[in-house]
Amino acid sequence: MSEERFMDKIIEVCLRRGFVNPTAEIYGGAGGFYDYGPLGTLMRQKIIDLWRQSFVLDEDNIFEVAGSVLLPEAVFKASGHLDSFEDPLVQCEQCNSMFKADTIIKDATSQIAEGLSLDELDKIISKNNISCPNCKGTLSKTREFNLMFKTEIGPTGGINGYLRPETAQNIFINFKRLVNFMRNKLPFGIAQMGSSFRNEISPRNFLIRGREFEQMEIEMFYDHDKENEHPRFHEVADIEINVVTREMQEKGWDEPLKVTTEAAVEEKLIPNQYLAYYLAMETEMLQAMGVPEDSFWFRHMQDNEAPHYSAGNFDLEADLSIGHMEIIGNALRTDYDLQKHAKATNSNFEIAMPDGKKVVPHVCEPSLGVGRIFYTVLEKCFREDNRGWTWFQFPPVVAPLEVAVFPLMKKDGLAELAQEIHQELKDAGYLSFYDESGKIGKRYARADEIGIPYCVTVDYDSLKEYSVTIRDRDTMKQIKLPLEDLEIALGELMDGEADFDEFKEFEQIEK
Amino acid sequence: MSEERFMDKIIEVCLRRGFVNPTAEIYGGAGGFYDYGPLGTLMRQKIIDLWRQSFVLDEDNIFEVAGSVLLPEAVFKASGHLDSFEDPLVQCEQCNSMFKADTIIKDATSQIAEGLSLDELDKIISKNNISCPNCKGTLSKTREFNLMFKTEIGPTGGINGYLRPETAQNIFINFKRLVNFMRNKLPFGIAQMGSSFRNEISPRNFLIRGREFEQMEIEMFYDHDKENEHPRFHEVADIEINVVTREMQEKGWDEPLKVTTEAAVEEKLIPNQYLAYYLAMETEMLQAMGVPEDSFWFRHMQDNEAPHYSAGNFDLEADLSIGHMEIIGNALRTDYDLQKHAKATNSNFEIAMPDGKKVVPHVCEPSLGVGRIFYTVLEKCFREDNRGWTWFQFPPVVAPLEVAVFPLMKKDGLAELAQEIHQELKDAGYLSFYDESGKIGKRYARADEIGIPYCVTVDYDSLKEYSVTIRDRDTMKQIKLPLEDLEIALGELMDGEADFDEFKEFEQIEK
């Protein structure tokens, strides 16, 4: 399977260069847990910062909160997770391995079995003679397995607590306070970035399906009667998104439908403006991160695939080496959660509108998986030449390090000047890395491998005439320019305001 | 108790204005869990960003990582937490309430009983006739209670997992990969910001002792033989820190000793430069956040107070309304953790030094509690006038919102111009808030209450002559200045580069 090997190549770089590694690997790990290393953490933070800036801070009616990860049982009893947040589990009667029933069916028959009843799953397994993928043993009957991690809060005799399986519930249970903070005016959004936990039966595919993961979510509350009056929809109306409708899924499809968000709402391909707004935002964000626009689309999920609270889900699916993978979930949660918590706590979650109408708002939820986006960016930016050398062609906006500064040699004051330049770039806010060890070609290769967009080299000319050389990772072109212009030139290159060929006034060196 | 009431005043503002509220309060909460609301999250993020910039990004040999919160049992078996991370628990035989034995002793007798054996605790309780604070019932014998939250990873028959009680262990167990990333060169530091969990017997004091909390930690690895060769120590040598030595604690003390870090190391008041470096950094950070320098100090913990791994702890204690509280822990962890994990996994954690010596590095760990710092800033910035009005005198660097923009009236185009100014300030990176509802005096009071340093008012002069008024929260002084100078003036005011009286060229209005 050459596809598996492609992911393995990326994992190999991740392990060796400090992006990501399995948690507790010296103890054999625990399956589905990953630690971000030094470079991974820098890049992950950039992804979070990009989301925070465009999805939260740039908006006037959206605020971020940060709630507890561990929540008391009552919350999940009301939300339905205690009863419904389950996966169908089958176990091998010979080797005791456990599997998610619909996954094992999909692997064996390519049939999508998500959301089917236990009976239906058992029938498919039996009809297709599906046996244990590990030992070919007979599989047990399917049973439900709740995916929440359970613990006990307080000393003996305490209450049950669960690690949240999604960040959203913190927002719903704080609804009264949040509405008050927003002065009872719809629409408004509450964002949250944080860890969620799902005790997956068989975690797989590296960062794509882990047991602990981070989400960037927004619960956007709006009056359902005004679902097509999003105040900023006009700003995204012309943005083209890729859509896979239910009809296309029934008939079979080769390419997603490319359509503007405005047309998508008008033609009812997307249920409303609130949802369409986020599909546009996500499209723009992924493209800015180096994920090509033709490599992802929004698929209208089938009813039996969507979560228990959903009135319409549009997953952002990416075309990855391991198949079509859900990277972002977009759900219309209606007023399901608010009504559940209102009932369970005897609360009133109605908001009085200016015209006197009372409304329990509906919710549109874009839920972005940090690890999934992280992996998608890694895969889509991965490059390999015919010598087997690899590098990440990260756009500067997600590159874990933005510039590397190299003295050609350590001696004759080159190292000192290079250190000084490195420090000045850091002070100016660049993620700069200083490296003086090894041959210069080796240093370029090491920098390319981790996707540093620009290398700045300090050589003897630098001492004589205060010049430095900037090398572009992708073209390997070099330009020499006065030291005093470095900071501005780098800024323009990183922002895409200039490219190498525009620096005509400077001496250009083709490699 | 007037002291309790002071904390309650702050909690009241926190609840009402969107800083912090108990988790799942509509379900009665779970004790020791808090959610940060919209303003709290902005301020918390600023605290994290300040730490990240000065403790991590400004350093060349420190990188941040982000590890899993849920870890397999083997990690904590080796680290000693499974055996030793316990608190002494006593239970009331009448009402079944549970208490931490040393806390109940301290409350009843002021005696510090941390670290005493179960027998010793029982003796003190019996000798002082300490009974249940709730119902005066008889207390049980003391027993050990492990503070880690336990869960099970994987479907039935999985392995035990624990929510980490400190972020540090992720770093120790990834040591080999991290050393490799740092190219085997000492000293280097690995930072981590994230959630930790302790199942406290009786959580108390709001954000000071919760069951879920966030830490900003660094594990600084160095050669023990070179513990006084910190490469940047000269930069902090002259910074004065407040110290409470063990000798002072024995003799009784009124005021901490003020001493430069250089003198503190020379006189062996602080064990080494690595520790002293962080005491200086923390002193500067807290002061920048508005915590007065005479309100906190570093106390050399007694041996029986320090954690099981410590060879010297210096807690940053703040003088809060609820007493002297540990806000930051600074520990010399020696090579304890690395040796434990090396032994448990049969690994070799030695680093070969340039001179051929092999070293398992020692560790200096500054561990900053996000919530504790957050609360300390709230309390130290809280102001109340004789009318009972309250406000937070936050320095701009921690203020959740930096500027509020008000149109004097909504009509005549004032609202539109104010909106435009608000948008421009946001685009320039300010945390700006737009408010057009209610009388202007009311809007100032609302902004003051949540600590917005500057309000910008748009009035009829703004339309006529393109001027705006800036109002200073702390002096209530106002200056009128040309709109085109607003952005720069605000920047200078916020950075402390200018104060109100310096804007001589502009018309000044005393309120």
Coordinates of all heavy atoms in Angstrom, one line a residue, chain B residues 31-54:
Chain B
G31 N -17.5 21.6 42.4 CA -16.5 22.0 43.4 C -15.1 22.0 42.9 O -14.6 21.0 42.5
G32 N -14.5 23.2 42.8 CA -13.1 23.3 42.4 C -13.0 23.4 40.9 O -11.9 23.2 40.4
F33 N -14.0 23.7 40.1 CA -14.0 23.8 38.7 C -14.5 25.2 38.3 O -15.6 25.6 38.8 CB -14.7 22.7 37.9 CG -14.2 21.3 38.1 CD1 -14.5 20.6 39.2 CD2 -13.3 20.8 37.2 CE1 -14.0 19.3 39.4 CE2 -12.7 19.6 37.4 CZ -13.1 18.8 38.5
Y34 N -13.8 25.9 37.4 CA -14.2 27.2 37.0 C -14.1 27.3 35.5 O -13.2 26.8 34.9 CB -13.4 28.3 37.7 CG -13.7 28.3 39.2 CD1 -13.0 27.6 40.1 CD2 -14.8 29.1 39.7 CE1 -13.3 27.6 41.4 CE2 -15.1 29.0 41.0 CZ -14.3 28.3 41.9 OH -14.7 28.3 43.2
D35 N -15.1 28.1 34.9 CA -15.0 28.4 33.5 C -14.6 29.9 33.3 O -15.2 30.7 34.1 CB -16.3 28.2 32.8 CG -16.7 26.7 32.6 OD1 -15.9 25.9 33.0 OD2 -17.8 26.4 32.2
Y36 N -13.7 30.2 32.4 CA -13.4 31.6 32.1 C -14.4 32.1 31.1 O -14.6 31.5 30.1 CB -12.0 31.7 31.6 CG -10.9 31.5 32.6 CD1 -10.5 30.2 33.0 CD2 -10.3 32.6 33.2 CE1 -9.5 30.0 33.9 CE2 -9.3 32.4 34.2 CZ -8.9 31.1 34.6 OH -8.0 30.9 35.5
G37 N -15.0 33.2 31.4 CA -16.0 33.8 30.5 C -15.3 34.7 29.5 O -14.0 34.7 29.4
P38 N -16.0 35.5 28.7 CA -15.4 36.2 27.6 C -14.3 37.2 28.0 O -13.3 37.2 27.4 CB -16.6 37.0 27.1 CG -17.8 36.2 27.4 CD -17.5 35.6 28.7
L39 N -14.5 37.9 29.1 CA -13.5 38.9 29.5 C -12.3 38.1 30.2 O -11.2 38.4 30.0 CB -14.0 39.9 30.4 CG -15.0 40.9 29.8 CD1 -15.4 42.0 30.8 CD2 -14.4 41.6 28.6
G40 N -12.7 37.1 31.0 CA -11.7 36.3 31.7 C -10.7 35.6 30.7 O -9.5 35.6 30.9
T41 N -11.3 35.2 29.6 CA -10.5 34.4 28.6 C -9.6 35.4 27.9 O -8.4 35.0 27.6 CB -11.4 33.7 27.6 OG1 -12.3 32.8 28.3 CG2 -10.6 33.0 26.6
L42 N -10.0 36.6 27.6 CA -9.1 37.6 27.0 C -7.9 37.9 27.9 O -6.8 37.9 27.5 CB -9.9 38.9 26.7 CG -10.8 38.8 25.4 CD1 -11.7 40.0 25.4 CD2 -10.0 38.8 24.1
M43 N -8.3 38.1 29.2 CA -7.2 38.4 30.2 C -6.3 37.2 30.4 O -5.0 37.4 30.5 CB -7.9 38.9 31.5 CG -6.9 39.3 32.5 SD -7.7 40.2 33.8 CE -6.7 39.6 35.2
R44 N -6.8 36.1 30.5 CA -6.0 34.9 30.7 C -5.1 34.7 29.6 O -3.9 34.3 29.7 CB -7.0 33.7 30.8 CG -6.5 32.3 30.8 CD -7.6 31.3 30.9 NE -7.3 30.0 30.3 CZ -7.2 29.8 29.0 NH1 -7.5 30.7 28.1 NH2 -6.9 28.6 28.6
Q45 N -5.6 34.9 28.3 CA -4.7 34.8 27.2 C -3.6 35.8 27.2 O -2.4 35.5 26.8 CB -5.5 35.0 25.9 CG -4.8 34.6 24.6 CD -4.4 33.1 24.6 OE1 -5.2 32.2 25.0 NE2 -3.1 32.8 24.3
K46 N -3.8 37.0 27.7 CA -2.8 38.0 27.8 C -1.7 37.5 28.8 O -0.5 37.7 28.6 CB -3.3 39.3 28.2 CG -4.0 40.1 27.1 CD -4.3 41.5 27.5 CE -4.1 42.4 26.3 NZ -4.3 43.8 26.7
I47 N -2.1 36.9 29.9 CA -1.2 36.4 30.9 C -0.3 35.3 30.2 O 0.9 35.3 30.4 CB -1.9 35.9 32.1 CG1 -2.5 37.0 32.9 CG2 -1.0 35.1 33.0 CD1 -3.5 36.6 34.0
I48 N -1.0 34.4 29.5 CA -0.2 33.3 28.9 C 0.7 33.9 27.8 O 1.9 33.5 27.7 CB -1.2 32.3 28.2 CG1 -2.0 31.6 29.3 CG2 -0.5 31.4 27.3 CD1 -3.2 30.8 28.7
D49 N 0.3 34.9 27.0 CA 1.1 35.5 26.0 C 2.3 36.2 26.6 O 3.4 36.1 26.0 CB 0.3 36.5 25.2 CG -0.7 35.8 24.2 OD1 -0.6 34.6 24.0 OD2 -1.6 36.5 23.7
L50 N 2.1 36.8 27.7 CA 3.3 37.5 28.4 C 4.3 36.5 28.8 O 5.5 36.7 28.6 CB 2.8 38.3 29.6 CG 2.3 39.7 29.4 CD1 1.7 40.2 30.7 CD2 3.4 40.6 29.0
W51 N 3.9 35.4 29.4 CA 4.8 34.4 29.8 C 5.5 33.8 28.6 O 6.7 33.6 28.6 CB 4.0 33.3 30.6 CG 4.8 32.0 30.8 CD1 5.7 31.8 31.8 CD2 4.7 30.8 30.0 NE1 6.2 30.5 31.6 CE2 5.6 29.9 30.6 CE3 3.9 30.4 28.9 CZ2 5.8 28.6 30.1 CZ3 4.1 29.2 28.4 CH2 5.0 28.3 29.0
R52 N 4.7 33.5 27.6 CA 5.3 32.8 26.4 C 6.3 33.7 25.8 O 7.4 33.2 25.4 CB 4.1 32.5 25.4 CG 4.6 31.8 24.2 CD 3.4 31.3 23.4 NE 2.8 30.1 23.9 CZ 1.5 29.9 24.0 NH1 0.6 30.7 23.5 NH2 1.0 28.7 24.5
Q53 N 6.1 35.0 25.7 CA 7.0 35.9 25.1 C 8.3 36.0 25.9 O 9.4 35.8 25.4 CB 6.4 37.3 24.9 CG 7.3 38.2 24.1 CD 7.5 37.7 22.7 OE1 6.5 37.3 22.0 NE2 8.7 37.6 22.2
S54 N 8.2 36.3 27.2 CA 9.4 36.5 28.0 C 10.1 35.3 28.5 O 11.3 35.2 28.5 CB 9.1 37.5 29.2 OG 8.2 36.9 30.0

